[in-house]
Amino acid sequence: QAIHKAISDAALQYEKPEGKVFEYGTAGFRMKADLLNTVVFAVGLLAGLRSKKLSGQWIGVMVTASHNPAEDNGVKLIDPMGEMLEAEWEQYATKLANAPLDKIADVYNELVKEIDVNMANPARVVFARDTRASGSRLVGVLNAALTATEVEFIDFKYMTTPQLHYVVRCKNTLGTQYEYGEPTEQGYYEKLAASFKKVMKGAKVQGSLTVDCANGVGGPKLRDLIKYLDSAIDIKVVNDDVINPDSLNFDCGADYVKTKQRAPPSSKAAPLDRCASLDGDADRLVYYFLDDSNVFRLLDGDRIATLAASFIGDLARNAGIAQKLKIGVVQTAYANGASTDYIEKVLKLPIICTNTGVKHLHHAALRFDVGVYFEANGHGTVTFSENALKVIKNTEPQSPAQQHALECLQALTDLINQAVGDALSDMLLVEAILAHKGWSPKEWLGTYTDLPSRLVRVEVNDRSIFKAYDAERKLESPAGLQDQIESLQSRYNKGRSFARASGTEDAVRVYAEAASRSEADDLATRVANAVR
Ligand code: 16G
Ligand code: ZN
């Protein structure tokens, strides 16, 4: 039929990299940007099918490689509620991406049958990209695939990843009782700014916040957001060079700060100055500061989770609705043991531990009325169930204090991007909480003491033999390795260690923590040796 020919014709423009096998992984497809043309073409085809399958709901396509180096790029699909692509569909993406170009139209037709797509349905797609130089070429490819398959689409140009997730959710809830906001960038800023001002009622941000934008798309977008905040907060934007393409994620950004455990070398922060870093597509956030002795102190995703959970817990109590809301926290094996302890013993909240990867955490968070989830690397958000939204909205306050707490909670449900972890939204959340508590980063850090930890990357011949279970905290294969790890960790005070195959790199990652720096290092080294 006509579409079959249009796909074949359009595909002819591209060349498939030889001998490369593509896989839709934890964060979609991601690799060197010059290998991506045919992959993006395939994703464009699938986005149209996904939309048709869902009766014409809007599907998002984001072109980004997040915190990866500037020469990389990537592409991922966003489902109607702004969530990650349904896991079942990842295999279809993989199948299309690996189809030889002269067969891709056939594979497309096979998929239509296999997935049972009604081709008479409309198809609608929105897309955007980060600031990488390769983005415009890849968006051109996407355009070709959507045009060939007669998909209606809107190009949102440059956006942060969470902004596009927001737009997708808005588009699909427009005119329903779940309306999420205006499906525009301006709508996004207005929603964040308005809710931030509401949350800030009765509080004032102390001092300024310096935000390192990884020289990525978060820089210009944060500058835009600031215009809507009417100086409710003093933000200094640094590392916002999106002109020099090589500067992206280079010696700056959330991933740099988290993995190197140090501030960007360009930082001019004085002791006790509040600093934050975004990653290249602004879906990760970490805080840090230099203490009185000039020592670097990191406040990572675990810290944001504990801060948010404690604040929301207090608000729920003050609002008199604590009994009606099941508040919980979702972490991964990488969460520092001290944070887990603090959540269980001090905050007295339930915890779910899941596999690494946002989709797993997000899914688990939905099991609570208020689900606080963060990966240690700074990706996370808070989800509110329908019941939570109802209770917050419909509770009649019995006192001014109760009313204040309810209003604050209500505003939080708007401030927090519930589709996905959003560094800009999370940043305003943290600022608001610190302001309410009257805390500097020092008090925040003082809530508990992190156990020293070490992360080691181990190159192995075949990482696929490393099979994990129990939320990746244990290994079932290779045989005997788990026993070895357990016997090693038992020798250290508060020792805990695990090894898991990376989902994004050809390596095994080893994590270890213990009561002292030297013990954590030692444990990590020994487990890494056992893995090799
Ligand atoms: C991906 C995940 C991130 C996870 C990381 C782990 C998303 C959007 N991103 O970047 O959440 O922390 O993979 O990488 O899910 P690893 O498997 O190489 O350790
Ligand atoms: Zn990212």
Side-chain angles (χ1 to χ4, degrees), residues 143-156:
N143 203 310
L146 297 172
T147 305
T149 47
E150 296 169 13
V151 173
E152 176 188 345
F153 62 83
I154 307 173
D155 178 358
F156 274 89

Side-chain angles (χ1 to χ4, degrees), residues 66 279 281 283:
S66 186
D279 73 339
D281 62 340
D283 59 359

Side-chain angles (χ1 to χ4, degrees), residues 425-439:
S425 151
D426 289 340
M427 175 195 83
L428 293 180
L429 173 67
V430 169
E431 290 298 300
I433 298 176
L434 293 180
H436 272 283
K437 290 187 179 271
W439 281 3

Side-chain angles (χ1 to χ4, degrees), residues 26-27 76 84 356-358 375 377 500 502-505 509:
T26 338
K76 56 183 168 188
M84 306 283 167
T356 294
V358 171
E375 288 193 294
N377 63 26
R500 60 172 275 278
S502 159
T504 62
E505 289 172 37
R509 298 194 200 286

Side-chain angles (χ1 to χ4, degrees), residues 14-17 22 24 29-48 61-64 73-77 93 96-98 101 104 125 127-129 134-146 149:
Y14 310 111
E15 218 169 296
K16 211 158 167 291
F22 302 109
Y24 195 99
F29 295 106
R30 202 179 282 184
M31 65 203 78
K32 293 278 162 283
D34 39 352
L35 302 176
L36 267 170
N37 276 350
T38 54
V39 171
V40 171
F41 189 77
V43 169
L45 298 182
L46 192 69
V61 181
M62 183 69 198
V63 176
T64 177
N73 215 329
V75 62
K76 56 183 168 188
L77 288 163
L96 264 178
N98 288 303
L101 285 181
I104 194 164
V125 168
F127 59 84
R129 58 184 171 105
S134 55
S136 74
R137 165 176 53 87
L138 295 174
V139 155
V141 177
L142 190 57
N143 203 310
L146 297 172
T149 47

Side-chain angles (χ1 to χ4, degrees), residues 125-427:
V125 168
V126 288
F127 59 84
R129 58 184 171 105
D130 68 16
T131 53
R132 279 159 219 270
S134 55
S136 74
R137 165 176 53 87
L138 295 174
V139 155
V141 177
L142 190 57
N143 203 310
L146 297 172
T147 305
T149 47
E150 296 169 13
V151 173
E152 176 188 345
F153 62 83
I154 307 173
D155 178 358
F156 274 89
K157 316 278 178 190
Y158 299 107
M159 270 194 168
T160 70
T161 296
Q163 282 181 328
L164 187 65
H165 284 254
Y166 163 88
V167 164
V168 170
R169 188 167 174 136
C170 290
K171 281 269 181 202
N172 290 307
T173 52
L174 213 59
T176 74
Q177 57 166 322
Y178 303 108
E179 206 158 291
Y180 195 62
E182 276 293 316
T184 60
E185 212 177 306
Q186 187 182 340
Y188 170 89
Y189 296 129
E190 283 171 354
K191 183 173 178 183
L192 284 193
S195 51
F196 180 69
K197 287 173 202 163
K198 277 192 202 140
V199 173
M200 287 298 291
K201 225 176 111 186
K204 196 172 175 310
V205 178
Q206 301 296 316
S208 66
L209 170 69
T210 302
V211 184
D212 151 30
C213 300
N215 292 320
V217 67
K221 301 309 178 188
L222 175 55
R223 286 194 187 282
D224 286 343
L225 172 62
I226 289 171
K227 291 177 206 152
Y228 291 80
L229 290 172
D230 304 330
S231 56
I233 169 173
D234 178 13
I235 297 176
K236 297 187 168 52
V237 182
V238 300
N239 297 328
D240 63 334
D241 176 4
V242 291
I243 306 297
N244 169 14
D246 296 330
S247 62
L248 175 67
N249 295 323
F250 183 75
D251 273 359
C252 61
D255 197 61
Y256 176 93
V257 170
K258 170 76 185 160
T259 47
K260 302 259 186 240
Q261 301 268 328
R262 57 165 296 180
S266 60
S267 170
K268 296 187 180 65
L272 304 182
D273 282 353
R274 209 156 70 244
C275 302
S277 285
L278 322 177
D279 73 339
D281 62 340
D283 59 359
R284 283 197 203 176
L285 174 75
V286 296
Y287 269 70
Y288 48 95
F289 68 104
L290 297 176
D291 68 15
D292 312 283
S293 336
N294 252 314
V295 177
F296 172 83
R297 300 289 189 170
L298 181 67
L299 294 150
D300 62 5
D302 298 343
R303 294 286 183 169
I304 300 176
T306 50
L307 185 73
S310 100
F311 185 63
I312 294 173
D314 287 347
L315 280 178
R317 270 185 293 278
N318 294 342
I321 55 175
Q323 303 308 321
K324 294 184 190 153
L325 296 185
K326 197 166 159 223
I327 304 177
V329 180
V330 184
Q331 301 187 310
T332 71
Y334 289 111
N336 195 281
S339 75
T340 310
D341 243 30
Y342 175 77
I343 294 164
E344 280 175 339
K345 303 207 173 108
V346 180
L347 301 182
K348 299 198 174 13
L349 293 174
I351 300 181
I352 300 178
C353 183
T354 72
N355 283 5
T356 294
V358 171
K359 61 184 175 198
H360 301 294
L361 287 103
H362 189 92
H363 202 73
L366 298 178
R367 284 156 56 185
F368 297 111
D369 284 314
V370 182
V372 181
Y373 77 84
F374 275 87
E375 288 193 294
N377 63 26
H379 188 123
T381 190
V382 182
T383 59
F384 293 88
S385 70
E386 231 181 296
N387 174 52
L389 295 177
K390 246 188 236 150
V391 169
I392 293 169
K393 204 165 156 208
N394 299 338
T395 301
E396 277 301 326
Q398 307 296 321
S399 69
Q402 202 180 344
Q403 179 174 2
H404 184 244
L406 281 168
E407 283 171 3
C408 195
L409 273 173
Q410 174 80 52
L412 280 183
T413 64
D414 284 330
L415 177 63
I416 298 169
N417 190 334
Q418 287 170 60
V420 75
D422 180 338
L424 297 181
S425 151
D426 289 340
M427 175 195 83

